[in-house]
Amino acid sequence: MEIIQPAVQPERAPRKASEPLDAYLSKMGNNLVTKFHVLMRISQIYDSKNVALKQFTQESLQVINALIQQAGALSLKVVKNDLYLNEQRLRYSVEGFTSFKYLITQWRKRRIGEIFFKGLVTEEILKEVIYLLMNLEEGGEENATLFNDELARRDILMIEASPLETFEGEEDGTALRKEDQREVGKKVFFETVGTIKEIITKIKGKQQADVRKLKRLAQKAVHLVMEDESILLGMTTIKNYDEYTFNHSVNVSIYSLAIGRHLGFSKRILTELGITALLHDIGKAKIPRETLNKPGPLNGEEWNLMKKHSLMGVEIVLNLKQLGEVNPRMVIGIFDHHLKNDPSGYPKLFRKKEMGLFGQIIQIADAYDAMTTPRIYKKVPYTPEQALAVMLKEKDGQFDPLLLKIFIGLVGIFPIGSLALLDTREVGIVCKPNLDPQWMDRPQVLLVARDAKGFVKKEVVDLTEKDGNDRFKRSVVKTLDPNKYHIDIGKYFL
Ligand SMILES: [Fe+2]
Ligand SMILES: [Fe+2]
């Protein structure tokens, strides 16, 4: 049998000594998924002789072969709605979301669960793999076998596909609907983060920003929050401090929508609230990045500029033409979001002004998200519980007591994302609060267990569940600080 040697030697992309293996795999994995996405798409448009395809295949080879060299083999696998690279689940970046989605959908449609590379790959082999894969008939249960047979016919024996595994509950309509909603939630979340980023970049570059998309996304978010608020609330635990301003705006919007929903707002008002919250810090687009990300305390001049961001935000929003009719509520919400009863609030006013409802809601959401997110100048954030305690202690009633009560009720005594120790000695992450005031201390919890690679997901349990003797099967003993256990909570909500 002819042994095919790689035409292009892999570009060595060795892991730096200082870079942890997880981080390396995650970065390379995201890169790999993007490459697969583009290759799969190109193959739908061009034939295998196309020049664009040739060039892109060569680029992709470098990533694939570097990974194969690193670990001796490469396995890319779809499990439920996740992707695993060499058995490690890949977390996607904001930019990578579309590629992940595309790859998972296309493989699932073709009932392919895994592609395993046992040796280095050449340009010709990679093209064969991609075209064979994309030409498989959708829904074909024998596709993995067909694919392997076709590869064998071409003497390509170092690549092997396995069929998609189906899991308990997947065939069940309700489980699927929930799963679908979760997928929509992820999509809305990441698209919104991306859109905010785009808008801020446009404003920084003094270009016209298109905000129609933001409006559509806010409508989708309202819809989701009305259906099941825990889906989007869970996403707020994805704390990414490199992208602080973008993630923060989206989180503040999710919390605000959940509060607004409990106040009984109509869909129209909720959408306005959602947009206002998304744009509450838009004025920061006018503040230099160095000031925003300064690790130490701000000097007088920098602080004075920072305090102008609510007012600058008002100015920007009034100039966003595509926002359509801007309701005064929205402008006032942005203006108010740092007003306080004491001199630390801003902007400074000549006459005392009552805060509007939008501003009050956003202020609560803003404070909670800021405290629970790691920042460049405060790498270890408050746990959800500690943040709520600080907010409750705020002097002079900075937060409206009724709104704060709603917020605490909504995130629960054990807010979503809290790490909890149970009386069964199990450890879990609170994933859905119990909205029944009587059972606020009995949320739904995703159990996690420690194995060699860290904490892995187990099942979701409901703490209201009882045993045969009418006793609760599990109760929370206390919450734990995830930072101490090196648990990245956001990971479990993806
Ligand atoms: Fe702000
Ligand atoms: Fe903010």
Side-chain angles (χ1 to χ4, degrees):
M1 185 187 51
E2 191 195 354
I3 308 279
I4 306 170
Q5 281 302 322
V8 179
Q9 281 303 314
E11 182 189 86
R12 300 259 169 182
R15 177 161 61 109
K16 286 180 227 112
S18 57
E19 190 175 23
L21 183 61
D22 280 13
Y24 171 81
L25 277 183
S26 162
K27 189 177 72 193
M28 290 293 276
N30 268 280
N31 199 345
L32 175 75
V33 174
T34 313
K35 294 279 191 285
F36 255 99
H37 170 203
V38 178
L39 281 175
M40 284 155 70
R41 280 211 179 245
I42 297 182
S43 75
Q44 301 286 80
I45 309 168
Y46 301 118
D47 67 40
S48 59
K49 306 274 179 301
N50 179 272
V51 188
L53 176 68
K54 183 181 173 64
Q55 198 193 343
F56 199 80
T57 314
Q58 287 179 347
E59 281 176 41
S60 309
L61 276 180
Q62 297 181 352
V63 181
I64 295 175
N65 284 338
L67 276 162
I68 296 173
Q69 281 195 326
Q70 158 79 34
L74 168 66
S75 146
L76 191 60
K77 194 172 182 183
V78 174
V79 181
K80 294 184 183 169
N81 280 307
D82 288 320
L83 274 178
Y84 285 74
L85 172 65
N86 291 349
E87 304 295 320
Q88 183 186 305
R89 190 163 75 102
L90 281 175
R91 265 188 88 182
Y92 36 76
S93 58
V94 173
E95 291 77 13
F97 179 73
T98 318
S99 299
F100 269 73
K101 185 89 201 142
Y102 182 82
L103 197 147
I104 293 173
T105 315
Q106 297 300 324
W107 285 30
R108 288 189 76 97
K109 274 187 188 166
R110 291 169 177 76
R111 315 301 295 159
I112 295 292
E114 183 191 16
I115 298 186
F116 188 65
F117 299 82
K118 289 179 250 181
L120 295 180
V121 183
T122 64
E123 186 188 325
E124 281 319 306
I125 293 178
L126 183 57
K127 279 193 205 164
E128 292 282 4
V129 168
I130 297 291
Y131 279 88
L132 272 177
L133 175 73
M134 295 310 277
N135 286 334
L136 291 171
E137 212 168 291
E138 290 184 12
E141 291 300 334
E142 299 297 317
N143 275 348
T145 319
L146 268 172
F147 180 85
N148 292 336
D149 290 350
E150 281 299 320
L151 285 178
R153 250 179 13 96
R154 292 164 169 77
D155 272 341
I156 304 171
L157 299 172
M158 84 274 245
I159 294 171
E160 207 180 314
S162 309
L164 186 73
E165 289 171 47
T166 42
F167 292 85
E168 212 183 308
E170 267 194 315
E171 305 309 329
D172 172 358
T174 52
L176 266 186
R177 256 200 314 280
K178 257 274 110 33
E179 210 36 54
D180 281 353
Q181 276 185 349
R182 200 163 286 283
E183 285 309 302
V184 174
K186 275 189 213 174
K187 192 159 183 276
V188 170
F189 182 85
F190 283 104
E191 270 186 25
T192 314
V193 174
T195 309
I196 290 280
K197 193 172 178 175
E198 243 172 69
I199 292 176
I200 292 183
T201 313
K202 284 269 168 66
I203 291 173
K204 271 190 187 296
K206 301 205 167 48
Q207 287 168 287
Q208 220 13 283
D210 186 354
V211 286
R212 282 170 300 190
K213 196 170 168 199
L214 199 70
K215 216 169 156 180
R216 279 199 299 276
L217 286 163
Q219 282 161 346
K220 284 191 192 166
V222 167
H223 184 75
L224 273 166
V225 166
M226 305 279 268
E227 294 251 314
D228 181 352
E229 60 198 11
S230 68
I231 293 176
L232 284 180
L233 281 174
M235 306 265 152
T236 60
T237 56
I238 306 165
K239 305 288 190 185
N240 181 348
Y241 78 171
D242 294 334
E243 310 258 358
Y244 176 72
T245 314
F246 320 128
N247 272 41
H248 169 69
S249 308
V250 179
N251 292 351
V252 169
S253 183
I254 294 171
Y255 293 131
S256 302
L257 286 180
I259 299 175
R261 194 202 130 179
H262 283 260
L263 290 171
F265 285 3
S266 68
K267 277 196 173 173
R268 189 174 58 87
I269 308 245
L270 277 179
T271 309
E272 283 179 10
L273 174 63
I275 298 171
T276 313
L278 283 172
L279 297 175
H280 80 280
D281 273 340
I282 197 78
K284 288 190 180 169
K286 303 260 176 186
I287 296 177
R289 199 173 252 276
E290 305 78 66
T291 311
L292 289 176
N293 295 334
K294 192 174 173 184
L298 299 182
N299 64 35
E301 198 183 316
E302 289 163 335
W303 186 228
N304 280 336
L305 179 63
M306 190 66 116
K307 286 200 282 197
K308 287 196 180 125
H309 82 266
S310 23
L311 203 53
M312 293 193 290
V314 167
E315 198 185 323
I316 293 171
V317 167
L318 288 173
N319 283 311
L320 286 175
K321 297 202 173 60
Q322 288 142 339
L323 208 53
E325 198 186 319
V326 179
N327 190 296
R329 264 193 297 269
M330 299 168 70
V331 181
I332 295 170
I334 296 175
F335 181 86
D336 284 352
H337 86 274
H338 286 289
L339 283 186
K340 274 192 195 175
N341 295 328
D342 64 43
S344 66
Y346 52 86
K348 288 279 159 291
L349 303 178
F350 294 118
R351 197 149 50 87
K352 197 168 180 286
K353 170 192 177 305
E354 286 298 322
M355 265 177 87
L357 189 51
F358 275 20
Q360 289 180 318
I361 295 174
I362 291 170
Q363 203 165 80
I364 291 179
D366 186 48
Y368 180 76
D369 187 64
M371 276 192 270
T372 52
T373 307
R375 303 289 294 276
I376 201 112
Y377 45 82
K378 188 175 189 306
K379 294 216 164 129
V380 179
Y382 285 115
T383 62
E385 213 189 352
Q386 290 163 341
L388 290 181
V390 170
M391 288 168 74
L392 277 167
K393 272 193 225 131
E394 265 306 316
K395 293 250 166 33
D396 304 323
Q398 187 202 329
F399 304 111
D400 177 88
L402 177 70
L403 292 177
L404 189 55
K405 205 168 158 205
I406 291 178
F407 184 67
I408 293 173
L410 177 142
V411 286
I413 300 183
F414 304 120
I416 286 192
S418 307
L419 186 66
L421 174 68
L422 307 181
D423 55 356
T424 47
R425 304 193 66 82
E426 290 163 306
V427 174
I429 297 165
V430 175
C431 57
K432 188 170 185 171
N434 194 331
L435 294 179
D436 182 344
Q438 191 194 343
W439 300 125
M440 272 173 84
D441 56 342
R442 303 209 160 270
Q444 286 183 28
V445 168
L446 168 73
L447 298 180
V448 292
R450 199 197 281 275
D451 76 358
K453 286 184 201 149
F455 283 91
V456 288
K457 273 188 191 178
K458 298 281 170 195
E459 80 259 44
V460 173
V461 293
D462 190 328
L463 299 193
T464 55
E465 241 182 280
K466 290 186 175 175
D467 62 15
N469 299 323
D470 207 32
R471 273 195 299 252
F472 288 112
K473 281 191 181 167
R474 299 176 175 87
S475 304
V476 175
V477 177
K478 60 173 183 173
T479 57
L480 305 168
D481 185 348
N483 303 306
K484 282 196 191 135
Y485 294 83
H486 304 291
I487 297 184
D488 179 1
I489 297 285
K491 218 164 85 176
Y492 299 89
F493 288 94
L494 277 178

